[in-house]
Structures are given as C-alpha cells and as structure tokens.
Amino acid sequence: MTNATRRDDRDIFRLSPTMDTSVLETIADRLEFRGTDEGYARLSQAYFGSVPLDAAQRLLALGCGTGIEVRALRRRTRPDATIVGVDHSPALIDIARRLTTDEGLDNNVTYETGDAHRLPYQDGEFDIVTLHTLVSHVDDPVQVLREARRVVRPGGTVAIFDGDYASLTFAHPDHALAELIEARLRQVLVANPRIMRDMPRLLPAAGLEPIQAGGVLYADICAGSFWANAAEAYGVVLTRLGVLSPAVADDWRAFQRRAVEDGTFFGGSNYYTYIARRPGDVAQRAE
Ligand SMILES: C[S@@+](CC[C@H](N)C(=O)[O-])C[C@H]1O[C@@H](n2cnc3c(N)ncnc32)[C@H](O)[C@@H]1O
C-alpha cells in the first residue's frame, strides 16, 4: 500500500465477499440504480468513446459488481468480442450473471470470481481492461493497476473511472452533522477516497502511460434523484454497520427526503477518468 492511500476496514465493497446479505442486497440495488441513472451512465461511460472498443476482441472488467459496465460494453462491442467480468463477491457475480442473461446480453460474456490484486490470466491476454469504480475500494491500488497492466497486451488500454469521494457531500443546515455524516459515509463506502487525485503518480509507478484524463461534478441541486437514492440506501447501511445511531441516521434521511419534496436538495461528488496505455507496440491480435 502507498502512503497516498487510506485503508478502512469498513469499506463495504472491499468486504463484499463476506458481507451480510441484507447489506449486500442494498449494495446491489444501489449499483443497479446508479448504473441505470441516465446522467451517471452518460458520464461514467463517456470514456467508452475514448477507448478502441470497435477493434477489441478481449475485454476484462475488473470489480464488475452486478455487471453494469459489462452489459454496457456488450452493447457497444462486436458480437464476437469476448468480455470477462471479475469481482471478488460470489453473490454479486451471481446477480451479474442473472441480469446479463435476463437482458439477453450473455453472448460471449463470462463472469468469474477473483481478486483484482492476483488475476488468474496470462500476460497480455486482453486488449482493454476497465476498472469502473474499483480502485477507490481495494487494499492496494498500485498492485491492482500493475495486474491490469500485466494482463493487457502491449499497446492495450486500461481505463480507470472512479468517484473522488473526498468530495462527496450532502447539504444539511447543521454543518457539523453534515460533516459527521459525510465522514461516516466515506468510512463505510470507500477505503481510498482521494485515490483519483493520486493517479498521475500511480499510473507511471504501475508501468502505465496516461494518455487522457478528465473530471466532472455529478450533483443533484434542488431536485434530488441520484444522490437522494444514495442518501436513502447508504443511510440504512450506516445504521446496519453500527457507525451511526439509528435515531441520527433516520433524522438525516428524513431531512433529505423532505429536501427532495420541497425542492431544496443538494448532494454531489466529483468523478474522474484516466485512460492509460501499456507501453509497447504489439499489433492488435489477428482477427
Ligand atoms: C462500487 S462497486 C462497482 C461495481 C461496478 N463496477 C459498478 O460500477 O457498478 C466496487 C466493486 O468492486 C468489487 N471489489 C472490491 N475489491 C475487489 C477486489 N480486490 N477484487 C475484485 N473485486 C473487488 C466489489 O465487490 C464491488 O462489486
């Protein structure tokens, strides 16, 4: 682990293989809501336009959860391209398989349980590797980036998209309470809340060459939808994990609900994307 990262034993995504079923269901529902939110899907997948999807034959989605980005990639790639989704949570992998089949998107898609720090793949097996809101949750982001670099072919692309959860915020008139809730949310949701600010140093350290980067704010202001759903879902998680008393969490959630109703809601976070390349110039695999 680097000095730049902060580990927190409570990150629900890092602990997802052993997580309580009811918390896991909340996670799965939130991931699906998040991935199908039009604005979020648009910004999270904007990088698809910057990676050579048309030419790719083998793609790997690390930390795929319920398979949101795998299904999005399936819709945007050649039907004969193979897509592998990997997650360390067997329960999330089961949900990903079911949803992918239900949506008729399982052609040449496989899901496997595995740890992004130690991948069971050969060097250079993939043309494109995606890390879609994964690095903020792992024990050792540089090791995960090194594995992504190892399994992508020379000249291949590694795409990293994640929240800058140090900027996650929900307004509340009691500013001390607002800060307390934000701190607790970071504690339960994300081991590495500042990691996307470190990428300009970490990518070269992992042997990857950054070729494009960008950032956006995704906020609900006045009308609440994406972040109102997050407040509802993660407010419940705060009490289930025992980091906030139910009375305080319930009041906070009730306040956020009223803010949605009366058009005064405010919540948001920054997101960043990095497109990196494994140095080297081995041509695309023959078709
Ligand atoms: C925030 S979720 C993102 C899921 C999906 N990529 C999405 O955007 O909807 C993070 C995912 O990373 C997985 N994860 C965390 N640490 C992992 C690791 N070391 N190896 C593989 N998966 C991991 C979690 O189980 C979880 O599904």
Side-chain angles (χ1 to χ4, degrees), residues 13-14 16-17 31 34 40 62-69 86-89 92 114-117 132-134 137-139 144:
F13 295 104
R14 197 166 63 73
S16 46
L31 290 177
R34 184 175 85 155
Y40 175 84
L62 288 178
C64 64
T66 57
I68 280 288
E69 67 272 25
V86 170
D87 199 282
H88 68 172
S89 164
L92 291 178
D115 183 353
H117 297 86
H132 196 86
T133 66
L134 172 68
H137 302 290
V138 297
D139 284 355
V144 168

Short mmCIF file of all heavy atoms in Angstrom, two decimals, residues 13-14 16-17 31 34 40 62-69 86-89 92 114-117 132-134 137-139 144, ligand 1:
data_model
loop_
_atom_site.label_atom_id
_atom_site.label_comp_id
_atom_site.label_asym_id
_atom_site.label_seq_id
_atom_site.Cartn_x
_atom_site.Cartn_y
_atom_site.Cartn_z
N PHE A 13 -17.52 -2.39 0.03
CA PHE A 13 -17.20 -3.01 -1.25
C PHE A 13 -15.95 -3.87 -1.14
O PHE A 13 -15.82 -4.88 -1.83
CB PHE A 13 -17.04 -1.94 -2.33
CG PHE A 13 -18.32 -1.21 -2.59
CD1 PHE A 13 -18.52 0.08 -2.11
CD2 PHE A 13 -19.36 -1.81 -3.29
CE1 PHE A 13 -19.70 0.75 -2.33
CE2 PHE A 13 -20.55 -1.16 -3.51
CZ PHE A 13 -20.73 0.13 -3.03
N ARG A 14 -15.05 -3.47 -0.27
CA ARG A 14 -13.85 -4.28 -0.06
C ARG A 14 -14.22 -5.56 0.70
O ARG A 14 -13.63 -6.61 0.52
CB ARG A 14 -12.81 -3.48 0.72
CG ARG A 14 -11.43 -4.04 0.65
CD ARG A 14 -10.41 -3.05 1.14
NE ARG A 14 -10.58 -2.72 2.53
CZ ARG A 14 -10.28 -3.54 3.54
NH1 ARG A 14 -9.77 -4.72 3.28
NH2 ARG A 14 -10.45 -3.17 4.77
N SER A 16 -17.14 -7.04 0.48
CA SER A 16 -18.36 -7.63 -0.08
C SER A 16 -18.38 -9.16 -0.12
O SER A 16 -19.46 -9.74 -0.02
CB SER A 16 -18.69 -7.04 -1.46
OG SER A 16 -17.56 -6.99 -2.26
N PRO A 17 -17.24 -9.88 -0.22
CA PRO A 17 -17.35 -11.34 -0.22
C PRO A 17 -17.91 -11.90 1.08
O PRO A 17 -18.48 -12.99 1.10
CB PRO A 17 -15.90 -11.83 -0.41
CG PRO A 17 -15.16 -10.68 -0.95
CD PRO A 17 -15.85 -9.45 -0.44
N LEU A 31 -26.17 -0.23 -6.88
CA LEU A 31 -25.32 -0.29 -8.08
C LEU A 31 -26.19 -0.29 -9.34
O LEU A 31 -25.85 0.38 -10.33
CB LEU A 31 -24.44 -1.55 -8.05
CG LEU A 31 -23.31 -1.56 -7.02
CD1 LEU A 31 -22.55 -2.89 -7.07
CD2 LEU A 31 -22.34 -0.40 -7.22
N ARG A 34 -27.76 3.16 -9.73
CA ARG A 34 -26.71 4.09 -10.15
C ARG A 34 -26.37 3.90 -11.62
O ARG A 34 -26.31 4.85 -12.40
CB ARG A 34 -25.47 3.81 -9.28
CG ARG A 34 -24.33 4.73 -9.49
CD ARG A 34 -23.23 4.44 -8.51
NE ARG A 34 -22.35 3.37 -8.94
CZ ARG A 34 -21.09 3.23 -8.52
NH1 ARG A 34 -20.59 4.07 -7.66
NH2 ARG A 34 -20.35 2.25 -8.97
N TYR A 40 -25.68 9.64 -14.77
CA TYR A 40 -24.49 8.94 -14.30
C TYR A 40 -23.95 8.00 -15.38
O TYR A 40 -22.75 7.95 -15.63
CB TYR A 40 -24.81 8.15 -13.02
CG TYR A 40 -23.66 7.31 -12.53
CD1 TYR A 40 -22.65 7.87 -11.74
CD2 TYR A 40 -23.56 5.96 -12.87
CE1 TYR A 40 -21.59 7.10 -11.29
CE2 TYR A 40 -22.50 5.19 -12.42
CZ TYR A 40 -21.52 5.75 -11.64
OH TYR A 40 -20.46 4.99 -11.21
N LEU A 62 -12.78 -5.32 -14.40
CA LEU A 62 -12.38 -5.68 -13.03
C LEU A 62 -13.31 -5.01 -12.02
O LEU A 62 -13.59 -3.82 -12.14
CB LEU A 62 -10.94 -5.23 -12.77
CG LEU A 62 -9.85 -6.02 -13.48
CD1 LEU A 62 -8.48 -5.42 -13.15
CD2 LEU A 62 -9.89 -7.48 -13.06
N GLY A 63 -13.73 -5.76 -11.01
CA GLY A 63 -14.62 -5.21 -9.98
C GLY A 63 -15.97 -4.88 -10.58
O GLY A 63 -16.51 -3.79 -10.40
N CYS A 64 -16.54 -5.86 -11.31
CA CYS A 64 -17.72 -5.58 -12.16
C CYS A 64 -19.03 -5.53 -11.37
O CYS A 64 -20.05 -5.13 -11.91
CB CYS A 64 -17.82 -6.62 -13.26
SG CYS A 64 -18.09 -8.29 -12.63
N GLY A 65 -19.03 -5.95 -10.08
CA GLY A 65 -20.25 -5.90 -9.29
C GLY A 65 -21.40 -6.61 -9.98
O GLY A 65 -21.27 -7.78 -10.37
N THR A 66 -22.52 -5.93 -10.14
CA THR A 66 -23.71 -6.55 -10.77
C THR A 66 -23.61 -6.52 -12.31
O THR A 66 -24.59 -6.86 -12.98
CB THR A 66 -24.99 -5.82 -10.33
OG1 THR A 66 -24.87 -4.43 -10.67
CG2 THR A 66 -25.21 -5.96 -8.83
N GLY A 67 -22.48 -6.11 -12.83
CA GLY A 67 -22.25 -6.22 -14.27
C GLY A 67 -22.72 -5.04 -15.11
O GLY A 67 -22.88 -5.15 -16.33
N ILE A 68 -22.90 -3.89 -14.45
CA ILE A 68 -23.38 -2.70 -15.17
C ILE A 68 -22.50 -2.39 -16.39
O ILE A 68 -23.00 -2.26 -17.51
CB ILE A 68 -23.41 -1.48 -14.21
CG1 ILE A 68 -24.66 -1.53 -13.35
CG2 ILE A 68 -23.33 -0.17 -14.96
CD1 ILE A 68 -25.95 -1.22 -14.08
N GLU A 69 -21.18 -2.28 -16.18
CA GLU A 69 -20.32 -1.87 -17.30
C GLU A 69 -20.11 -3.01 -18.29
O GLU A 69 -19.89 -2.78 -19.48
CB GLU A 69 -18.98 -1.30 -16.82
CG GLU A 69 -18.04 -2.27 -16.15
CD GLU A 69 -18.30 -2.35 -14.64
OE1 GLU A 69 -19.43 -2.07 -14.22
OE2 GLU A 69 -17.37 -2.73 -13.91
N VAL A 86 -15.00 -9.67 -13.66
CA VAL A 86 -14.42 -10.28 -12.45
C VAL A 86 -14.82 -9.46 -11.23
O VAL A 86 -14.74 -8.23 -11.25
CB VAL A 86 -12.87 -10.33 -12.55
CG1 VAL A 86 -12.26 -10.73 -11.21
CG2 VAL A 86 -12.43 -11.29 -13.63
N ASP A 87 -15.22 -10.17 -10.18
CA ASP A 87 -15.50 -9.49 -8.91
C ASP A 87 -15.18 -10.47 -7.80
O ASP A 87 -15.28 -11.69 -7.99
CB ASP A 87 -16.97 -9.07 -8.82
CG ASP A 87 -17.18 -7.99 -7.77
OD1 ASP A 87 -17.21 -8.32 -6.56
OD2 ASP A 87 -17.30 -6.81 -8.16
N HIS A 88 -14.77 -9.95 -6.63
CA HIS A 88 -14.43 -10.89 -5.56
C HIS A 88 -15.65 -11.32 -4.74
O HIS A 88 -15.52 -12.13 -3.84
CB HIS A 88 -13.30 -10.35 -4.67
CG HIS A 88 -13.66 -9.16 -3.85
ND1 HIS A 88 -12.82 -8.65 -2.88
CD2 HIS A 88 -14.76 -8.36 -3.84
CE1 HIS A 88 -13.39 -7.60 -2.31
NE2 HIS A 88 -14.55 -7.41 -2.87
N SER A 89 -16.82 -10.79 -5.08
CA SER A 89 -18.03 -11.19 -4.36
C SER A 89 -18.81 -12.23 -5.16
O SER A 89 -19.41 -11.91 -6.20
CB SER A 89 -18.92 -9.96 -4.12
OG SER A 89 -20.22 -10.39 -3.78
N LEU A 92 -22.44 -11.06 -5.80
CA LEU A 92 -22.61 -10.06 -6.87
C LEU A 92 -22.41 -10.69 -8.25
O LEU A 92 -23.11 -10.34 -9.21
CB LEU A 92 -21.66 -8.87 -6.65
CG LEU A 92 -21.99 -8.00 -5.42
CD1 LEU A 92 -20.96 -6.88 -5.26
CD2 LEU A 92 -23.40 -7.39 -5.52
N GLY A 114 -12.94 -13.45 -8.51
CA GLY A 114 -11.48 -13.35 -8.40
C GLY A 114 -11.08 -12.05 -7.74
O GLY A 114 -11.88 -11.12 -7.61
N ASP A 115 -9.83 -12.03 -7.31
CA ASP A 115 -9.27 -10.86 -6.63
C ASP A 115 -8.44 -10.05 -7.62
O ASP A 115 -7.51 -10.58 -8.24
CB ASP A 115 -8.40 -11.34 -5.45
CG ASP A 115 -7.82 -10.17 -4.65
OD1 ASP A 115 -7.99 -9.00 -5.06
OD2 ASP A 115 -7.21 -10.45 -3.61
N ALA A 116 -8.78 -8.78 -7.76
CA ALA A 116 -8.09 -7.92 -8.73
C ALA A 116 -6.60 -7.75 -8.40
O ALA A 116 -5.83 -7.32 -9.26
CB ALA A 116 -8.77 -6.56 -8.78
N HIS A 117 -6.19 -8.09 -7.19
CA HIS A 117 -4.76 -7.99 -6.85
C HIS A 117 -3.96 -9.17 -7.43
O HIS A 117 -2.75 -9.09 -7.53
CB HIS A 117 -4.55 -8.01 -5.34
CG HIS A 117 -5.15 -6.85 -4.62
ND1 HIS A 117 -6.46 -6.85 -4.20
CD2 HIS A 117 -4.63 -5.67 -4.24
CE1 HIS A 117 -6.72 -5.71 -3.59
NE2 HIS A 117 -5.63 -4.97 -3.60
N HIS A 132 -13.89 0.10 -13.16
CA HIS A 132 -15.04 1.01 -13.11
C HIS A 132 -15.50 1.12 -11.66
O HIS A 132 -16.19 0.24 -11.15
CB HIS A 132 -16.14 0.42 -14.01
CG HIS A 132 -17.22 1.36 -14.38
ND1 HIS A 132 -17.15 2.21 -15.46
CD2 HIS A 132 -18.42 1.59 -13.82
CE1 HIS A 132 -18.27 2.90 -15.55
NE2 HIS A 132 -19.05 2.55 -14.55
N THR A 133 -15.10 2.17 -11.01
CA THR A 133 -15.30 2.39 -9.57
C THR A 133 -14.81 1.19 -8.75
O THR A 133 -15.50 0.65 -7.91
CB THR A 133 -16.77 2.75 -9.19
OG1 THR A 133 -17.65 1.69 -9.44
CG2 THR A 133 -17.24 3.98 -9.94
N LEU A 134 -13.57 0.81 -9.01
CA LEU A 134 -12.91 -0.26 -8.24
C LEU A 134 -11.77 0.27 -7.38
O LEU A 134 -11.66 -0.08 -6.20
CB LEU A 134 -12.37 -1.34 -9.20
CG LEU A 134 -11.50 -2.41 -8.53
CD1 LEU A 134 -12.33 -3.28 -7.59
CD2 LEU A 134 -10.80 -3.28 -9.57
N HIS A 137 -11.77 1.23 -3.74
CA HIS A 137 -12.16 0.24 -2.73
C HIS A 137 -11.10 -0.80 -2.40
O HIS A 137 -11.28 -1.55 -1.45
CB HIS A 137 -13.41 -0.50 -3.21
CG HIS A 137 -14.56 0.41 -3.49
ND1 HIS A 137 -15.25 1.07 -2.49
CD2 HIS A 137 -15.13 0.82 -4.66
CE1 HIS A 137 -16.19 1.83 -3.03
NE2 HIS A 137 -16.13 1.71 -4.34
N VAL A 138 -10.04 -0.89 -3.17
CA VAL A 138 -9.13 -2.04 -2.99
C VAL A 138 -8.06 -1.77 -1.93
O VAL A 138 -7.75 -0.62 -1.61
CB VAL A 138 -8.46 -2.43 -4.33
CG1 VAL A 138 -9.51 -2.89 -5.34
CG2 VAL A 138 -7.61 -1.30 -4.89
N ASP A 139 -7.47 -2.87 -1.43
CA ASP A 139 -6.40 -2.75 -0.42
C ASP A 139 -5.20 -2.01 -0.97
O ASP A 139 -4.60 -1.19 -0.30
CB ASP A 139 -5.88 -4.16 -0.05
CG ASP A 139 -6.83 -4.88 0.86
OD1 ASP A 139 -7.83 -4.27 1.28
OD2 ASP A 139 -6.56 -6.06 1.15
N VAL A 144 -3.22 -3.43 -7.98
CA VAL A 144 -4.33 -3.68 -8.91
C VAL A 144 -4.01 -3.08 -10.28
O VAL A 144 -4.24 -3.71 -11.32
CB VAL A 144 -5.66 -3.14 -8.32
CG1 VAL A 144 -6.77 -3.11 -9.36
CG2 VAL A 144 -6.07 -3.99 -7.11
C1 LIG B 1 -18.53 0.30 -6.21
S1 LIG B 1 -18.61 -1.34 -6.74
C2 LIG B 1 -18.57 -1.13 -8.51
C3 LIG B 1 -19.27 -2.24 -9.25
C4 LIG B 1 -19.40 -1.98 -10.76
N1 LIG B 1 -18.11 -1.81 -11.36
C5 LIG B 1 -20.26 -0.74 -10.97
O1 LIG B 1 -19.72 0.34 -11.28
O2 LIG B 1 -21.47 -0.86 -10.81
C6 LIG B 1 -16.99 -1.97 -6.43
C7 LIG B 1 -16.89 -3.45 -6.75
O3 LIG B 1 -15.54 -3.88 -6.60
C8 LIG B 1 -15.56 -5.17 -6.01
N2 LIG B 1 -14.24 -5.36 -5.41
C9 LIG B 1 -13.70 -4.71 -4.36
N3 LIG B 1 -12.45 -5.15 -4.11
C10 LIG B 1 -12.18 -6.10 -5.05
C11 LIG B 1 -11.05 -6.91 -5.33
N4 LIG B 1 -9.94 -6.85 -4.59
N5 LIG B 1 -11.11 -7.77 -6.37
C12 LIG B 1 -12.25 -7.86 -7.13
N6 LIG B 1 -13.35 -7.12 -6.89
C13 LIG B 1 -13.33 -6.24 -5.87
C14 LIG B 1 -16.73 -5.13 -5.05
O4 LIG B 1 -17.22 -6.42 -4.71
C15 LIG B 1 -17.75 -4.31 -5.84
O5 LIG B 1 -18.57 -5.12 -6.64
#
